[in-house]
Amino acid sequence: MTEETRPVPEAVAALAAALGERFGTVAAGHDGDVPALVWTDGPAVDELAEAARALAPETAGGLAFRRGLSERWIALGAIRLAPGPLSCGLPVPLSPAAVEAHWWRTRLPVPVTPREERLVYGLLYEVHDDHRRDEVTAQEICTGLNRRGLAALLLRSGAELTPAELLTARYAASHGHLAWRHALRTMPVPVLLRAVRDDPQAPPDCLAAARALESAPDGAS
């Protein structure tokens, strides 16, 4: 008997239905041998567990609570975590556990910027294409971003770049700036300006970006 077909106590099923009216779809299932309430996105685990205990404290006391994440929020979580701490010049590799921890206390959905929308779309499009499937796993999404890095996604997304981003995209490879590729960390402004001055083939958009950086207050990028 699979987890999906294993019967659950009527009290657990009734609690799932009551919570579903408030939060959206909540299913009664199992987490190993323990009856569980299972849902995707929506309320944080602590929020739904608190609501369950308020409705049926005796039933909720013996339950596990398991929230799944849809591909969109896995991708966004990975993208938001990517500019995190560096190790030997590179970001620590992303993992499904890190993404789950990132959203642990957060109700979903959350506001998303237009740039993030483009990055999420680009990441999911490419990972789906990698695996030729309509659905991909959290690990496959994380692996796809670890392998590509944020910069490649940003440059293919069509999102507008800041002057520092535009120049870093041109000069990062020659300066060994791997933090740009993986975490969108731009090169220092003085280094970018020197790179433009030393580049006899600097295109007009790079020259304009350099002028913008030179005139920006406090070297803002």
Side-chain angles (χ1 to χ4, degrees), residues 69-76 119-145 147-148 153 156:
L69 297 173
S70 62
E71 292 178 6
R72 171 179 172 80
W73 301 114
I74 295 168
L76 180 62
L119 290 172
V120 167
Y121 175 84
L123 175 58
L124 291 179
Y125 181 90
E126 294 194 19
V127 174
H128 278 264
D129 190 59
D130 287 344
H131 298 279
R132 304 293 180 180
R133 295 199 309 269
D134 292 335
E135 296 182 357
V136 290
T137 68
Q139 184 61 63
E140 288 166 343
I141 292 170
C142 290
T143 298
L145 185 53
R147 179 161 55 85
R148 289 174 171 82
L153 292 175
R156 287 196 286 268

Side-chain angles (χ1 to χ4, degrees), residues 38-119:
V38 183
W39 68 103
T40 300
D41 303 333
V45 171
D46 288 349
E47 182 183 359
L48 192 132
E50 182 179 351
R53 287 191 290 268
L55 282 174
E58 292 186 1
T59 302
L63 295 179
F65 298 88
R66 192 176 72 207
R67 179 175 72 166
L69 297 173
S70 62
E71 292 178 6
R72 171 179 172 80
W73 301 114
I74 295 168
L76 180 62
I79 286 165
R80 289 187 176 182
L81 287 170
L86 300 181
S87 174
C88 299
L90 293 174
V92 176
L94 298 163
S95 68
V99 173
E100 184 176 353
H102 175 74
W103 294 126
W104 185 256
R105 299 186 183 280
T106 303
R107 173 190 274 261
L108 298 171
V110 295
V112 182
T113 69
R115 173 178 282 208
E116 287 176 331
E117 289 281 11
R118 288 175 177 265
L119 290 172

Side-chain angles (χ1 to χ4, degrees), residues 207-220:
L207 296 174
R211 290 193 295 270
L213 288 180
E214 288 178 321
S215 62
D218 301 322

